[in-house]
Amino acid sequence: MIVVNKMQNILLIDDDEDLCELLDEYLSSEGFKVTSVHDGETAIARAAEGGWDAVILDVMLPGANGFDVLKRIKPDLGAPVLMLTARGEDTDTVLGLELGADDYVAKPCSPRVLVARLRALLRRRQHEPGAALRVGDLSLDEGSRQVEVGDQTVSLTGAEFNLLRLLVRHAGEVVSRDLLAEEGLGRPLGAYDRRIETHMAQIRRKLGASPDGSPRIQTVRGSGYQYVRRG
């Protein structure tokens, strides 16, 4: 068993009380402190209390569904969200990522897999030392995980930040989809996996175009993506 140095607070949102009890027992044995809620409105209220290191959120909930909950809590949460989706429901996965989820696990899943994904998310969220990275009018602070374009702060999900950081670190170079998935999302791509494309669309939308109107991030067909360095 891997023991974390600090007990991390997990908000578990799922209407299946038996599953919550099972996951609570397993996560607690792995060093996490779990709070379970079973409906959307209660989840929104508990999330607003703050102090969470991560949220595990099921799509199917009574009251407000998982997507409604995600839209309500994500802007002020300050923690990664791991969504639980029905196996084979790609539309749920894509919508969750577009709304700001940081990763997903298809149900039914083993507690061991869930903990592994959760740990990977938390590792990627740890602040890293170092000065801000700057390319043109974009500034990316690895310590505070803050991104600014000009004088405007850009709100990114954890996954979006990790992907953009890789591109900015290698500005002017092509970064492969496989590398983006493994280092930015913490796991390799599967067959017909569109997570990278989904995240890139969101990043582009949030950053907007360069001052001269050209794209900041270019798709290099068959290779990957490049954050364009100008001047």
Side-chain angles (χ1 to χ4, degrees):
M1 180 180 72
I2 301 173
V3 180
V4 295
N5 294 326
K6 168 185 171 292
M7 183 169 285
Q8 292 168 305
N9 291 313
I10 308 300
L11 179 60
L12 173 59
I13 307 168
D14 197 306
D15 65 338
D16 186 335
E17 297 189 25
D18 290 336
L19 176 63
C20 285
E21 184 176 348
L22 171 66
L23 293 178
D24 187 341
E25 181 177 350
Y26 192 88
L27 287 165
S28 297
S29 73
E30 292 289 319
F32 296 97
K33 180 179 179 181
V34 179
T35 299
S36 299
V37 296
H38 310 299
D39 67 88
E41 293 300 331
T42 303
I44 292 167
R46 292 306 301 268
E49 296 173 4
W52 308 108
D53 292 295
V55 173
I56 301 171
L57 172 61
D58 188 26
V59 169
M60 301 300 294
L61 292 171
N65 67 35
F67 300 127
D68 293 332
V69 172
L70 182 61
K71 286 188 285 188
R72 294 274 296 277
I73 71 175
K74 187 60 180 180
D76 302 312
L77 185 62
V81 175
L82 177 66
M83 291 206 76
L84 302 177
T85 66
R87 187 173 300 279
E89 290 295 332
D90 292 341
T91 54
D92 284 354
T93 298
V94 171
L95 180 56
L97 293 173
E98 289 177 341
L99 292 175
D102 297 278
D103 200 357
Y104 70 94
V105 172
K107 296 172 69 175
C109 67
S110 74
R112 180 177 296 179
V113 168
L114 185 65
V115 167
R117 291 283 184 82
L118 187 59
R119 289 197 191 283
L121 269 184
L122 291 168
R123 283 196 301 269
R124 298 201 301 270
R125 293 286 295 194
Q126 291 176 349
H127 290 178
E128 298 183 7
L133 303 173
R134 289 184 173 84
V135 181
D137 64 339
L138 181 138
S139 173
L140 183 149
D141 190 305
E142 295 186 293
S144 65
R145 296 181 69 87
Q146 181 169 301
V147 174
E148 294 182 352
V149 172
D151 58 357
Q152 299 295 315
T153 299
V154 179
S155 177
L156 299 177
T157 68
E160 290 165 0
F161 180 89
N162 294 335
L163 293 170
L164 179 61
R165 176 174 55 189
L166 274 173
L167 291 175
V168 170
R169 281 177 175 174
H170 300 280
E173 304 172 8
V174 178
V175 183
S176 71
R177 292 175 73 254
D178 288 338
L179 183 63
L180 286 166
E182 291 173 4
E183 295 195 12
L185 303 181
R187 57 194 173 107
L189 293 172
Y192 310 108
D193 196 326
R194 304 292 295 175
R195 286 177 298 141
I196 296 296
E197 287 74 12
T198 298
H199 285 308
M200 286 300 169
Q202 290 293 92
I203 295 169
R204 284 167 165 155
R205 179 183 63 81
K206 292 179 179 181
L207 296 182
S210 295
D212 64 2
S214 61
R216 296 177 184 274
I217 299 172
Q218 289 185 348
T219 302
V220 181
R221 188 177 297 276
S223 297
Y225 294 87
Q226 178 190 61
Y227 192 95
V228 179
R229 184 187 294 276
R230 293 178 173 82

